Amino acid sequence: MQTSQSSSSEEIPGSVMDQRKRKRMLSNRESARRSRMRKQQHLDELINQVAHLKNENSQIETQADMLNQQFLIVDSENCALRSEVMELTERLRSMNSVLEFVGEFSGMMMDIQEIPDPLLKPWQLPCPTQPLMFQY
């Protein structure tokens, strides 16, 4: 007794089997071609993405360099202003000590305000409040 597979394969002539093999081979080739196309398309997309990210990175580096240069300029100006504040504060202290001496010598009461330390508490400096103007 033969199984149904062996009997069915015996019933199918060789040319029909060859046609099925060729059909399967063509189908496999077409599938492989589509797979290669998908891989190539994915590779092209990745290459474009790399180029875009490199360009974006370059722009960010340029912007960071500009901001760093601006920071250095502002930091330098800030340092000069702090030195000027210290010098002016020292002058004011000297003038206040002269006023105290004159007040003690003349007997007149002088109203000499305490000098805030601008470097330790810059938010307490006596500054006139002005509204901030924004341009849009």
Side-chain angles (χ1 to χ4, degrees):
M1 185 174 211
Q2 294 179 340
T3 63
S4 64
Q5 286 182 346
S6 63
S7 65
S8 65
S9 64
E10 289 175 4
E11 294 172 6
I12 300 174
S15 65
V16 173
M17 286 296 279
D18 289 342
Q19 284 179 345
R20 285 186 181 174
K21 282 184 179 180
R22 272 183 277 178
K23 201 175 191 181
R24 189 171 43 243
M25 194 171 18
L26 288 174
S27 176
N28 287 345
R29 284 181 184 168
E30 182 61 25
S31 178
R33 185 186 68 77
R34 286 192 309 265
S35 177
R36 286 190 301 273
M37 285 178 59
R38 281 192 306 269
K39 283 182 183 180
Q40 184 63 46
Q41 185 178 12
H42 184 65
L43 180 63
D44 293 344
E45 289 173 3
L46 289 175
I47 289 171
N48 288 337
Q49 187 177 9
V50 165
H52 174 74
L53 291 173
K54 282 183 178 181
N55 184 32
E56 189 176 335
N57 191 31
S58 175
Q59 290 175 353
I60 290 171
E61 284 177 349
T62 301
Q63 188 177 17
D65 288 344
M66 286 177 26
L67 289 172
N68 193 36
Q69 289 174 357
Q70 289 175 351
F71 167 77
L72 293 174
I73 291 168
V74 169
D75 190 46
S76 174
E77 290 172 354
N78 194 22
C79 187
L81 289 172
R82 284 183 182 185
S83 294
E84 188 176 344
V85 165
M86 290 178 72
E87 180 185 338
L88 291 173
T89 301
E90 192 54 43
R91 283 185 187 177
L92 186 56
R93 283 193 178 118
S94 294
M95 293 301 291
N96 281 349
S97 67
V98 168
L99 285 175
E100 284 177 13
F101 177 74
V102 168
E104 288 176 10
F105 183 73
S106 68
M108 292 177 29
M109 292 293 288
M110 300 220 177
D111 185 22
I112 302 171
Q113 294 183 354
E114 182 180 329
I115 302 169
D117 188 347
L119 297 178
L120 294 178
K121 299 177 183 173
W123 58 90
Q124 293 180 352
L125 284 176
C127 298
T129 57
Q130 297 178 351
L132 298 174
M133 305 300 266
F134 294 100
Q135 291 181 341
Y136 294 101

